[in-house]
Amino acid sequence: MVDLDSTVNLADGVGLFVREVGDGFPVIVLHGGPGLDHSSFRPYLDPLGEEFRLLYVDERGQGRSERVDPATLSLDVFARDVDLLAEALELERFALLGHSFGAIITTKHAIEIGSADAYVISGGGDSSAALAADVDASLEAMGQSGEPIKASWEQEKTVATEGELRELLLVQMPFHFAGDVPPGFADETVGTPDVLRHFANIGYGDFDYVPDLYRVSKPTLVIVGEHDRTTTPRAAQALHEGIAGSRLVVLPGVGHLSFVETPEPYIAAVTTFLQELAT
């Protein structure tokens, strides 16, 4: 199975790091964050490479990609980069899979651009206001154990080093899992503290997709963990109801990082969905 790294230069001159796994129908994969990288997907999504050409991307200015001024970054820029990358790789067809912040980018792309053949919205949000309310409710339900996590999000506004970013991730990880955090998870993450700090101060994107979901015309899979405290099943249901013909898969017993906690049913759901489009 193909497994190679490269830096792909976009038409505007910025280089994006891409790790390619497998062969077949191309699937561009967008990570969460902002300020993180693609490494949280591996090895969990790698089995998709047995049937598809996975293109794990470190989004503009993050991870192993070329650094840029964080003030130049936005949801619009990240969504546009999908097509710049597809153009640079000469992809005639592709699917787009985004998780968490990557799912927010994916939904924007599906609404406003729509050039992918299919979309997988994994742990997505319907609006920034509703997402914030869901997170607040989840933290309140956690009681005292949620206080360090709440404090860590405030500390994102001043994070200055990759070491500090890693410490924040360690504090936050229990929020994203229904069970125990796997030992060593996120150890390979290449964080970008200035990007995280920028978005923590300005907001992670002021969006309300619900009124425009009817514009999504391509096949769409919405997938979420039953106990996702961040991008909740409520949000997934709102996305599903708004996108005509979409599929909704709720994975039982898992949290925000559903593909880590139960990779097999996640892989099965995505594979089944994409197989119908790859022929």
Side-chain angles (χ1 to χ4, degrees):
M1 186 164 64
V2 172
D3 190 340
L4 57 87
D5 299 344
S6 63
T7 296
V8 178
N9 293 315
L10 306 186
D12 65 356
V14 172
L16 296 189
F17 176 88
V18 177
R19 176 161 285 157
E20 185 171 341
V21 176
D23 196 11
F25 185 76
V27 181
I28 297 174
V29 185
L30 302 180
H31 61 78
L36 302 179
D37 70 349
H38 78 280
S39 61
S40 63
F41 289 125
R42 305 195 73 196
Y44 311 102
L45 295 193
D46 283 3
L48 287 171
E50 295 174 8
E51 296 200 39
F52 307 105
R53 180 187 177 190
L54 295 184
L55 298 164
Y56 295 116
V57 183
D58 283 359
E59 293 151 23
R60 180 179 290 248
Q62 299 166 73
R64 298 160 184 82
S65 290
E66 181 181 339
R67 294 293 183 261
V68 301
D69 180 355
T72 64
L73 301 176
S74 67
L75 287 173
D76 286 322
V77 169
F78 293 135
R80 181 199 66 191
D81 279 351
V82 171
D83 288 75
L84 291 178
L85 178 63
E87 178 185 353
L89 293 173
E90 299 181 343
L91 304 181
E92 295 183 1
R93 304 177 65 209
F94 66 93
L96 183 60
L97 184 160
H99 180 75
S100 194
F101 189 72
I104 293 169
I105 299 168
T106 296
T107 307
K108 186 174 188 67
H109 190 279
I111 291 170
E112 297 187 2
I113 302 175
S115 56
D117 285 64
Y119 293 90
V120 178
I121 301 172
S122 173
D126 54 334
S127 76
S128 49
L131 191 155
D134 285 346
V135 168
D136 286 344
S138 296
L139 286 169
E140 184 175 352
M142 293 179 74
Q144 285 298 114
S145 63
E147 288 303 315
I149 297 167
K150 186 175 182 179
S152 76
W153 277 317
E154 187 64 26
Q155 291 161 6
E156 289 181 353
K157 295 178 180 179
T158 58
V159 63
T161 69
E162 191 169 351
E164 290 174 359
L165 187 152
R166 187 175 296 277
E167 289 300 317
L168 293 178
L169 285 179
L170 290 174
V171 173
Q172 293 168 5
M173 276 304 129
F175 189 77
H176 298 310
F177 285 87
D180 294 333
V181 180
F185 180 75
D187 281 356
E188 300 300 316
T189 299
V190 176
T192 316
D194 60 340
V195 172
L196 174 58
R197 185 174 66 248
H198 173 72
F199 280 98
N201 281 287
I202 70 166
Y204 296 99
D206 184 12
F207 63 93
D208 182 3
Y209 292 142
V210 174
D212 294 313
L213 290 173
Y214 75 92
R215 295 170 58 187
V216 180
S217 60
K218 300 296 180 62
T220 303
L221 170 65
V222 180
I223 187 166
V224 68
E226 177 188 14
H227 302 303
D228 192 329
R229 299 183 177 102
T230 308
T231 51
T232 61
R234 179 211 59 77
Q237 183 66 37
L239 292 167
H240 169 57
E241 290 177 356
I243 300 173
S246 63
R247 299 183 191 177
L248 174 63
V249 173
V250 180
L251 298 172
V254 296
H256 185 56
L257 292 162
S258 53
F259 56 88
V260 178
E261 292 193 270
T262 53
E264 292 83 3
Y266 186 102
I267 293 293
V270 173
T271 299
T272 298
F273 172 69
L274 291 178
Q275 278 177 334
E276 297 174 9
L277 302 153
T279 55

